């Protein structure tokens, strides 16, 4: 990692502003963990038999963004990005993927998520979680996705260290 250009979350703000800022901070953290690496380095697996890699995490988070924003609030039947069925594990296998492909999909889903959040009147906006068959609030979705990034950014620290010995922020 050559630089840390992330914008830190505010110290004060309303609930929505804080959720939005922390989510964007964690999105930027994942991108930072991948900075400066080749496609081959991004595909480097943690340890057999795991298929977990930095590129796999980017692909997985594209699926998470799509599943929790687009499928819940806009199109319950939107297909997964890398699977023809609901299989979040499929994204982890990035053995033939490239940075360009994975980041283009992830960035597109992040932009869709941001748009959906901005257009929502409040955090109480309800959407239907198709896997559960239940309604959930935008607040719950933002918190869930934020926690997903936090968990996977911890994995990204481990993976980045395995690639170049860098201990993450």
């Amino acid at each position: 990692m050559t630089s840390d250009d992330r914008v830190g979350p505010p110290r004060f703000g309303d609930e929505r502003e804080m959720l939005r800022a922390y989510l964007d901070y964690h999105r930027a953290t994942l991108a930072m963990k991948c900075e400066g690496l080749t496609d081959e380095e991004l595909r480097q697996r943690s340890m057999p038999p795991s298929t977990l890699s930095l590129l796999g995490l980017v692909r997985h988070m594209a699926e998470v963004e799509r599943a929790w924003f687009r499928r819940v609030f806009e199109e319950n039947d939107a297909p997964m990005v890398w699977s023809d069925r609901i299989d979040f594990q499929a994204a982890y296998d990035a053995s033939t993927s490239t940075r360009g492909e994975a980041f283009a999909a992830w960035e597109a889903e992040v932009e869709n998520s941001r748009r959906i959040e901005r257009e929502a009147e409040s955090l109480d906006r309800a959407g239907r979680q198709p896997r559960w068959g239940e309604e959930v609030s935008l607040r719950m979705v933002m918190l869930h996705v934020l926690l997903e990034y936090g968990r996977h950014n911890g994995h990204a620290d481990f993976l980045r260290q395995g690639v170049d010995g860098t201990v993450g922020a």
Side-chain angles (χ1 to χ4, degrees):
M1 293 176 291
T2 56
S3 64
D4 184 351
D5 298 327
R6 297 173 298 169
V7 175
R11 304 288 190 264
F12 295 92
D14 66 28
E15 180 184 19
R16 190 170 192 163
E17 181 182 359
M18 294 293 250
L19 286 169
R20 182 184 292 154
Y22 269 93
L23 194 47
D24 279 341
Y25 181 79
H26 277 281
R27 288 167 173 151
T29 298
L30 180 58
M32 184 183 76
K33 301 296 179 188
C34 298
E35 184 179 299
L37 298 177
T38 65
D39 284 358
E40 183 178 326
E41 290 168 326
L42 288 168
R43 286 190 298 264
Q44 187 173 318
R45 294 176 177 186
S46 60
M47 66 182 72
S50 174
T51 59
L52 187 61
S53 67
L54 285 164
L55 207 54
L57 285 178
V58 171
R59 288 166 46 109
H60 174 72
M61 291 312 298
E63 296 284 29
V64 167
E65 294 271 359
R66 178 179 283 213
W68 282 102
F69 285 93
R70 192 185 303 194
R71 286 177 54 90
V72 168
F73 295 106
E74 287 188 334
E75 185 184 347
N76 288 154
D77 295 327
M80 301 292 282
V81 182
W82 285 283
S83 172
D84 57 356
R85 55 184 172 56
I86 306 301
D87 180 5
F88 287 90
Q89 302 304 311
Y92 286 130
D93 183 5
S95 57
T96 60
S97 188
T98 65
R99 169 192 291 274
E101 171 201 40
F103 272 83
W106 176 62
E107 289 166 355
E109 292 306 327
V110 166
E111 284 310 309
N112 277 319
S113 299
R114 286 179 176 142
R115 176 189 51 77
I116 290 165
E117 182 272 322
R118 277 191 315 266
E119 291 174 357
E121 319 75 50
S122 80
L123 293 174
D124 293 323
R125 177 181 176 191
R128 185 159 184 80
Q129 212 304 342
R131 289 174 60 200
W132 300 343
E134 296 177 14
E135 287 196 345
V136 296
S137 71
L138 176 60
R139 176 184 292 102
M140 181 266 160
V141 167
M142 290 181 77
L143 280 169
H144 179 80
V145 174
L146 176 59
L147 292 171
E148 281 276 327
Y149 273 103
R151 182 167 64 103
H152 291 305
N153 281 337
H155 297 143
D157 280 339
F158 173 75
L159 290 163
R160 180 66 192 232
Q161 187 175 12
V163 171
D164 66 7
T166 301
V167 178

